[in-house]
Amino acid sequence: MSDPDTPFMFPDSAPAGTRRDADALYLELDGWEGPLDLLLDLARRQKVDLRQISILALVDQYLTYIERAGAMRLELAADYLVMAAWLAYLKSAMLLPKDQQEDPSPEELALRLQLRLQRLGAMREAAARLMGRDRIGRDVFVRAAPEGLRTDRKTVWRSDIFALIQAYGQVKARTAPRIYLVANRPVMTLDSALERVSAMLGVTLEWMELRDFLPPHASPELKRSALASSFVAALELAKRGRAELDQDAAFAPLRIRRLKEVAPV
Amino acid sequence: MSGDQGQPGTLERAVETTLFASDEPMTIDALAAHLGGLAPGDVRDALTALAAHYAERGVQLVERGGRWHFETAPDLAHLLRREKEQVRRLSRAATEVLAIIAYHEPVSRAEIESIRGVQTSAGTLDVLMEAGWIKLAGRREVPGRPVIYATTPAFLDHFGLASRRDLPGIDELRAAGLLDPVDEAMEASMRFDPDDAEDSE
Amino acid sequence: MSGDQGQPGTLERAVETTLFASDEPMTIDALAAHLGGLAPGDVRDALTALAAHYAERGVQLVERGGRWHFETAPDLAHLLRREKEQVRRLSRAATEVLAIIAYHEPVSRAEIESIRGVQTSAGTLDVLMEAGWIKLAGRREVPGRPVIYATTPAFLDHFGLASRRDLPGIDELRAAGLLDPVDEAMEASMRFDPDDAEDSE
């Protein structure tokens, strides 16, 4: 079926010597990367241009190979068997008279297979020629210890006279002595609030809202101050045991009343 | 372009020393910029003169993918190979995948697999990427937007190719239609006499 | 010693390629051994021819302590180091320090800080020294003998001043509005706003 002396073009494919005779094929199940690879190998054994290979002979070789592998109880990958089935179909179709052939015609399928083998063969040869070139680090060498090129970065500073005098002006302005004026804000002091709340608590024993203690005609800012001071005054009075506070919820109106058992101060 | 005899010109010496000292190949533009903004045309002239000067020497000036560097003369490989071999051995699968990418680029993994008739393990592409010989070259605008691969300047450099046009046999392969997809070749051949399909171009 | 014209001899090429690819300088004996047991005298002749050939080029063959190697021509060393200038604007802090030195020179760092009202990092003075605009101008004869700084001619040059007397005086700065308080907005915010009383400080 094949010439034992067929030269191989793919030096990496298998250890030398394993392909000396046809039986060696069976030792190389892992030597082919898929059925197309094996087919290409078989096609090359026809020792003709890939364009003139006999597809029928190729199919026979492949099927024989698969059969013999099966007889040796070697496990074959699924894709080899799928290819075998497809090739068996192709063969039977090719043997049919023309008028009974289906579409696509077996010639077309055979041509497609042939084209694929040609392309794979071409790339395999190209790869071998590429690897055979003068490669850096194997055949040619670059300088082992180059001095190297260096790029030094140098900063060039830039400014201008306006930036300079402006900066000086700002330093001067910033550090010039300053006079600070504190605005006289309308406030109610804690002392006056204490006095005021104590006085109003003396009037009744009923609950009163804290807000009712504020001066009625005060400006808004004085009112805020008065509210704060009165609140602190209320807390102070509660602490002294002179009043009690009550609130339903957070932010609800705060109520205050005088404690009955007030000890004379 | 005095080249072999007499004093080399100032620019020629400058380019010579720069490429000699550089630890990687340099483009004409990089040389021009490094030497203080020269005209690229002048740098090219100096390179041509230098390449001629070194042509017969033990060291040569070569262009690889638009980048220039000095390397030892290939015919003296036997003097250096012994102790210096530093090239990784590629598996057969990797060499085939590399060839397919180089001759078809840019190419998707599915296209590589359809040529090889076998699945390509991720490791194979990784090895080639790690060697710096192939790179991702975007995505193909077809359904699924597959990633496509192409070779790098380092690939041309390593295999001593001035450009992809120097790939061995690429013109013949292209002329024979062997770089076209099978479907295209089928269509072309079906239009003619199927028995002569392989001769059509 | 054919050297410059015509083909280099085989041995000359062999020595050339070996030294080029070697990662360290080699003795004549090492070269002779590497090239398959040549006579050291032949290697010496080849080295002499090579050295003559490279004498005027951008690359030279030199002997250092009995070992030979190629190196770039010494007169071209400046080509291997390229300076890349990066223009940067002086920071606000550095401009202030520079202005204070210009108006008050010579001044010590402590004096600069008391004028600025803030601490001055050493880096700021370094930048001004690097720019070439200030220099050390001795030490002040006070306890601690602090270093004092002054401006340089390069400072006058860069800022377009014929002399330090050209710097505008305080009255001129005031007239130009350059002594106005910096932050009007901040001033305004200090004034009492009844609706935002709780935000005022």
Side-chain angles (χ1 to χ4, degrees):
Chain A
M1 113 185 178
S2 65
D3 187 329
D5 291 320
T6 303
F8 282 90
M9 324 192 54
F10 335 121
D12 295 346
S13 61
T18 51
R19 297 197 178 197
R20 296 304 296 175
D21 57 60
D23 286 340
L25 284 177
Y26 300 104
L27 302 175
E28 290 179 7
L29 271 174
D30 298 329
W32 286 282
E33 278 202 88
L36 202 61
D37 205 18
L38 171 56
L39 274 167
L40 178 62
D41 198 358
L42 295 171
R44 292 223 188 255
R45 289 172 183 236
Q46 293 185 19
K47 277 186 147 178
V48 290
D49 190 314
L50 274 181
R51 285 174 294 187
Q52 274 133 44
I53 49 161
S54 158
I55 292 292
L56 217 48
L58 183 64
V59 169
D60 279 337
Q61 286 169 35
Y62 185 88
L63 295 178
T64 308
Y65 166 71
I66 297 295
E67 256 170 47
R68 291 179 64 183
M72 295 191 62
R73 299 169 194 274
L74 292 175
E75 284 189 31
L76 284 172
D79 50 355
Y80 284 86
L81 296 175
V82 168
M83 178 62 88
W86 186 83
L87 288 175
Y89 162 78
L90 175 62
K91 181 182 172 184
S92 62
M94 288 172 89
L95 295 175
L96 282 177
K98 278 262 185 230
D99 56 335
Q100 291 178 33
Q101 287 177 0
E102 291 181 31
D103 198 50
S105 71
E107 280 82 8
E108 217 175 305
L109 295 175
L111 174 60
R112 187 174 280 272
L113 176 60
Q114 193 182 13
L115 290 172
R116 291 190 69 185
L117 290 176
Q118 276 179 41
R119 274 156 184 70
L120 179 57
M123 280 304 108
R124 179 143 322 153
E125 222 166 291
R129 289 174 72 181
L130 200 55
M131 293 303 139
R133 290 187 61 84
D134 289 330
R135 291 167 62 184
I136 287 183
R138 189 186 68 177
D139 310 290
V140 298
F141 296 86
V142 295
R143 229 179 134 211
E147 285 88 350
L149 300 176
R150 248 180 49 215
T151 302
D152 294 340
R153 284 178 207 289
K154 190 181 160 202
T155 306
V156 175
W157 294 97
R158 187 173 57 86
S159 186
D160 58 67
I161 187 70
F162 181 72
L164 188 76
I165 59 177
Q166 187 183 46
Y168 190 67
Q170 285 172 3
V171 168
K172 281 302 191 188
R174 193 170 66 219
T175 57
R178 283 202 194 172
I179 298 158
Y180 290 94
L181 291 175
V182 179
N184 190 11
R185 296 165 57 186
V187 292
M188 177 183 282
T189 63
L190 180 57
D191 283 343
S192 63
L194 256 179
E195 210 169 290
R196 195 179 159 81
V197 175
S198 304
M200 291 183 77
L201 271 183
V203 175
T204 170
L205 272 173
E206 299 302 305
W207 286 106
M208 294 175 74
E209 259 198 56
L210 190 62
R211 282 187 184 280
D212 298 336
F213 289 72
L214 303 183
H217 305 297
S219 65
E221 60 264 34
L222 178 59
K223 260 188 184 159
R224 279 169 169 275
S225 171
L227 179 60
S229 302
S230 302
F231 173 62
V232 176
L235 292 178
E236 181 62 28
L237 289 172
K239 189 176 135 201
R240 291 184 195 169
R242 291 179 51 195
E244 58 182 341
L245 301 174
D246 181 67
Q247 191 177 29
D248 292 338
F251 304 111
L254 185 66
R255 289 180 310 236
I256 183 170
R257 74 172 174 191
R258 180 158 59 101
L259 273 180
K260 282 176 225 158
E261 59 277 30
V262 65
V265 184
Chain B
M1 267 196 256
S2 62
D4 249 340
Q5 56 272 47
Q7 313 278 90
T10 308
L11 181 52
E12 194 177 322
R13 289 184 78 229
V15 171
E16 186 179 24
T17 206
T18 305
L19 280 182
F20 193 77
S22 174
D23 46 17
E24 53 184 13
M26 291 177 81
T27 62
I28 287 179
D29 287 345
L31 277 164
H34 182 85
L35 294 172
L38 296 173
D42 292 345
V43 173
R44 181 177 291 281
D45 287 349
L47 285 167
T48 312
L50 273 175
H53 172 82
Y54 277 94
E56 303 297 330
R57 304 209 58 91
V59 170
Q60 313 212 321
L61 178 62
V62 292
E63 181 190 0
R64 303 287 181 242
R67 307 186 305 166
W68 294 75
H69 71 102
F70 281 110
E71 64 181 30
T72 58
D75 65 308
L76 300 176
H78 59 283
L79 295 176
L80 305 166
R81 214 175 258 151
R82 284 184 294 231
E83 49 215 74
K84 301 208 67 160
E85 178 138 355
Q86 47 196 234
V87 170
R88 87 164 73 208
R89 263 193 96 65
L90 286 182
S91 68
R92 199 186 80 184
T95 61
E96 279 181 27
V97 170
L98 180 61
I100 290 169
I101 294 174
Y103 284 78
H104 293 81
E105 77 178 44
V107 66
S108 70
R109 184 155 157 182
E111 288 156 356
I112 296 169
E113 291 180 348
S114 94
I115 293 172
R116 296 190 67 227
V118 67
Q119 290 213 333
T120 301
S121 77
T124 305
L125 287 165
D126 286 350
V127 162
L128 296 173
M129 298 262 252
E130 198 190 311
W133 293 338
I134 65 166
K135 63 178 180 207
L136 300 178
R139 292 179 179 275
R140 179 144 292 157
E141 290 306 333
V142 296
R145 302 187 67 241
V147 163
I148 47 181
Y149 299 89
T151 55
T152 62
F155 162 77
L156 296 176
D157 199 41
H158 182 88
F159 289 95
L161 300 161
S163 76
R164 279 189 63 241
R165 284 192 302 274
D166 284 359
L167 285 168
I170 191 167
D171 291 338
E172 293 83 345
L173 289 173
R174 186 171 291 127
L178 286 171
L179 300 182
D180 300 331
V182 168
D183 285 336
E184 241 168 71
M186 282 295 288
E187 256 172 54
S189 69
M190 299 309 272
R191 263 183 259 125
F192 301 97
D193 179 358
D195 292 329
D196 285 321
E198 59 278 10
D199 292 326
S200 71
E201 281 169 17
Chain C
M1 263 208 262
S2 64
D4 249 339
Q5 55 273 43
Q7 315 277 88
T10 308
L11 181 52
E12 195 178 322
R13 291 184 76 230
V15 171
E16 187 178 26
T17 207
T18 305
L19 282 181
F20 176 86
S22 170
D23 51 11
E24 53 185 13
M26 290 175 82
T27 62
I28 288 179
D29 287 347
L31 276 166
H34 177 88
L35 296 172
L38 295 173
D42 292 344
V43 173
R44 180 175 294 282
D45 289 347
L47 284 168
T48 312
L50 270 178
H53 171 82
Y54 278 97
E56 303 297 327
R57 305 209 57 90
V59 169
Q60 315 215 319
L61 179 63
V62 293
E63 182 193 355
R64 299 261 184 274
R67 293 162 174 269
W68 294 76
H69 73 119
F70 282 111
E71 61 180 33
T72 55
D75 65 312
L76 299 179
H78 62 281
L79 294 177
L80 306 183
R81 263 181 297 115
R82 187 163 69 105
E83 283 203 342
K84 200 172 182 183
E85 292 197 341
Q86 188 187 13
V87 177
R88 286 181 62 187
R89 199 167 169 80
L90 206 57
S91 72
R92 166 85 177 269
T95 310
E96 284 186 13
V97 171
L98 180 62
I100 290 167
I101 296 173
Y103 273 91
H104 298 268
E105 76 178 41
V107 285
S108 68
R109 182 156 151 192
E111 288 158 358
I112 295 169
E113 290 181 350
S114 93
I115 294 169
R116 271 188 87 206
V118 273
Q119 288 219 327
T120 299
S121 76
T124 307
L125 287 165
D126 288 347
V127 163
L128 295 173
M129 299 269 258
E130 184 195 314
W133 292 338
I134 65 167
K135 62 179 181 209
L136 299 179
R139 290 179 180 277
R140 178 142 292 158
E141 290 305 335
V142 296
R145 301 187 69 242
V147 164
I148 48 179
Y149 298 90
T151 55
T152 62
F155 161 78
L156 295 176
D157 200 39
H158 185 90
F159 289 89
L161 299 164
S163 83
R164 280 183 54 243
R165 284 192 301 276
D166 287 359
L167 286 170
I170 293 293
D171 292 340
E172 288 165 291
L173 290 179
R174 184 172 292 117
L178 289 170
L179 289 185
D180 291 347
V182 194
D183 273 322
E184 297 285 349
M186 198 166 142
E187 278 284 303
S189 77
M190 299 300 280
R191 274 178 232 123
F192 181 73
D193 179 349
D195 292 326
D196 286 317
E198 60 276 19
D199 291 331
S200 71
E201 287 160 346

